[in-house]
Amino acid sequence: SGSIIKLTAVPSEDWEFDEWVGDYVGEENPIQITVDEPKNLTAKFKKKNYSLTIIVEGEGTVSEEVIQSKSSGDYPPGTIVKITAIPSEGWEFDEWSGDYLGEENPIQITVDEPKNLTAKFIDVRLKAYIPDDNFEQALIDLGYDEVLDNYVHMYKIFEIKELSVISKNISDLTGIGDFISLETLWCSSNQLTNLDLSNNAVLTGLYCNDNLLNSLNVTNNIALTSLHCNENQLTTLDISNNTDLGGLNCAENMLTELNVFNNTELVYLNFKNNLLTILDISNNTNLKTLDCSSNQLTSLNVSNNDLLGTIPFFSFFDCTNNQLDCIQVSQYQLENIPTRWSKDDSASYSLDCN
């Protein structure tokens, strides 16, 4: 019987074991052999090749040119490859991602391990129509456009989450619907007469106060949590679909009615200086601040609103300058009228105003 020997083939850097030949043939590693006669074995190693995987987003191609070493599908270690992104007609190269990040084109990379690259192309044929020159100029000033031509490239605006165009003398926000990722819009102190945000499905904050609005459409903005449309000329306001709304300021308009029954998350409600005669806030039990002063209210029931004016310095209840003789409250409220409640001297608090 002979000795049993364990043989292990150990490759150098950038090499890998391939196979045994001679008195043992195979690719297993390590192996055990019995030396019961003279034996000859050869361990064969081969140079590693590394993959270079390229993914294309959009329309275009990517060329590969070997600068050093020889191409063989996968690349030997240390191969330097020149990579060029070539956009199709109507598209532009945007950026690389993956194992290289940047906008440079072409690039050279050293393939010293498996690499993955994505070449992103953008469609420059798609444009948003912006007829208001002041709106487009504001976008130019923000770096989202270059030429005042009533059009903005879609790829420059479709990822914008916040947009501020305050005090830009804008009278028409046509094109705002193409800002599909917009979450917050500040457009106060302009000359807007109507505003339709039906296409801005992810909008959560809207600040359009101090305009000339007589029409505001937020019916599709179900994610809206904050709406400030005060100091306009609104006669109607539909917020029945905005069930996540926590703050509403529609003061100083011309509203004759306001339905907040579905807005159970409301914490702040300000509609002072309007023309309301009735208001039902029985379903708004989270309400902490209510300013309904300077309307034409003839009745008001706050008996379900125990949180009104209970946070010092931050919340209050003001129903002055209405046509109220009686304000209906709960027993608890009647016994603990908060100091930040305000009413006319001619009105009284009562458990039953009927």
Side-chain angles (χ1 to χ4, degrees):
S1 62
S3 300
I4 298 175
I5 299 177
K6 179 181 179 181
L7 297 177
T8 303
V10 182
S12 299
E13 185 179 2
D14 293 329
W15 291 76
E16 60 185 355
F17 173 71
D18 186 21
E19 63 177 347
W20 302 100
V21 294
D23 289 326
Y24 179 87
V25 178
E27 299 178 357
E28 184 179 356
N29 184 40
I31 59 173
Q32 290 186 356
I33 63 170
T34 302
V35 184
D36 49 9
E37 60 179 339
K39 302 262 185 179
N40 292 285
L41 282 86
T42 299
K44 296 180 69 175
F45 297 90
K46 61 182 180 181
K47 196 83 168 174
K48 284 183 178 180
N49 284 334
Y50 294 120
S51 63
L52 173 57
T53 303
I54 297 178
I55 299 171
V56 172
E57 289 185 3
E59 293 189 15
T61 59
V62 176
S63 68
E64 301 175 41
E65 177 185 349
V66 177
I67 305 301
Q68 292 182 8
S69 191
K70 181 179 178 181
S71 175
S72 58
D74 288 349
Y75 294 102
T79 301
I80 299 175
V81 183
K82 178 182 178 181
I83 301 176
T84 305
I86 305 168
S88 298
E89 184 177 357
W91 292 71
E92 287 184 1
F93 172 71
D94 185 29
E95 62 179 355
W96 302 101
S97 60
D99 289 322
Y100 181 87
L101 302 176
E103 300 175 358
E104 184 182 354
N105 185 40
I107 59 172
Q108 290 186 6
I109 64 168
T110 301
V111 185
D112 49 10
E113 61 180 343
K115 300 226 170 175
N116 295 280
L117 290 173
T118 296
K120 181 180 177 183
F121 298 91
I122 51 178
D123 190 344
V124 296
R125 298 167 299 179
L126 299 177
K127 296 182 179 181
Y129 177 51
I130 311 290
D132 189 296
D133 286 349
N134 291 328
F135 182 21
E136 187 178 10
Q137 185 60 54
L139 296 177
I140 292 173
D141 295 342
L142 291 168
Y144 301 135
D145 193 16
E146 296 174 356
V147 180
L148 193 64
D149 60 357
N150 298 131
Y151 290 94
V152 175
H153 284 293
M154 290 284 290
Y155 75 88
K156 290 192 173 183
I157 64 172
F158 78 93
E159 290 184 342
I160 295 175
K161 293 185 177 181
E162 297 184 351
L163 180 65
S164 177
V165 288
I166 298 172
S167 299
K168 299 297 183 179
N169 203 32
I170 299 168
S171 58
D172 187 355
L173 274 183
T174 294
I176 195 66
D178 290 314
F179 291 69
I180 56 176
S181 299
L182 195 62
E183 296 177 0
T184 307
L185 172 61
W186 292 274
C187 57
S188 56
S189 302
N190 282 289
Q191 303 296 316
L192 299 172
T193 57
N194 66 80
L195 184 57
D196 187 345
L197 298 165
S198 300
N199 292 333
N200 306 97
V202 297
L203 193 70
T204 59
L206 174 59
Y207 305 86
C208 56
N209 51 292
D210 191 21
N211 276 279
L212 304 171
L213 289 174
N214 54 54
S215 175
L216 174 61
N217 187 349
V218 293
T219 54
N220 286 350
N221 308 109
I222 59 175
L224 198 64
T225 59
S226 182
L227 172 57
H228 290 247
C229 56
N230 47 301
E231 299 176 74
N232 279 287
Q233 299 175 11
L234 296 171
T235 57
T236 61
L237 180 63
D238 184 356
I239 54 171
S240 57
N241 291 339
N242 312 113
T243 54
D244 287 339
L245 198 62
L248 172 61
N249 187 346
C250 55
E252 298 181 58
N253 278 280
M254 295 183 288
L255 299 172
T256 57
E257 60 180 6
L258 183 64
N259 187 344
V260 294
F261 188 81
N262 291 342
N263 310 105
T264 56
E265 299 300 315
L266 269 180
V267 174
Y268 173 89
L269 175 58
N270 183 348
F271 63 93
K272 69 179 179 180
N273 291 325
N274 275 277
L275 303 171
L276 273 72
T277 58
I278 59 173
L279 176 69
D280 181 2
I281 53 173
S282 59
N283 213 32
N284 308 106
T285 56
N286 291 311
L287 205 58
K288 296 181 175 67
T289 294
L290 173 62
D291 191 343
C292 55
S293 59
S294 301
N295 277 269
Q296 298 177 13
L297 296 174
T298 57
S299 64
L300 184 61
N301 187 338
V302 298
S303 59
N304 284 353
N305 312 104
D306 286 336
L307 299 178
L308 271 182
T310 58
I311 302 177
F313 308 110
F314 291 101
S315 65
F316 63 90
F317 167 42
D318 187 349
C319 62
T320 58
N321 197 23
N322 277 280
Q323 299 177 24
L324 295 169
D325 295 323
C326 181
I327 302 157
Q328 188 159 322
V329 296
S330 67
Q331 182 68 49
Y332 174 80
Q333 291 170 327
L334 188 61
E335 296 172 355
N336 302 274
I337 298 296
T339 56
R340 293 177 63 81
W341 280 27
S342 301
K343 65 174 182 61
D344 292 326
D345 292 338
S346 59
S348 61
Y349 299 118
S350 174
L351 298 177
D352 185 4
C353 287
N354 295 320

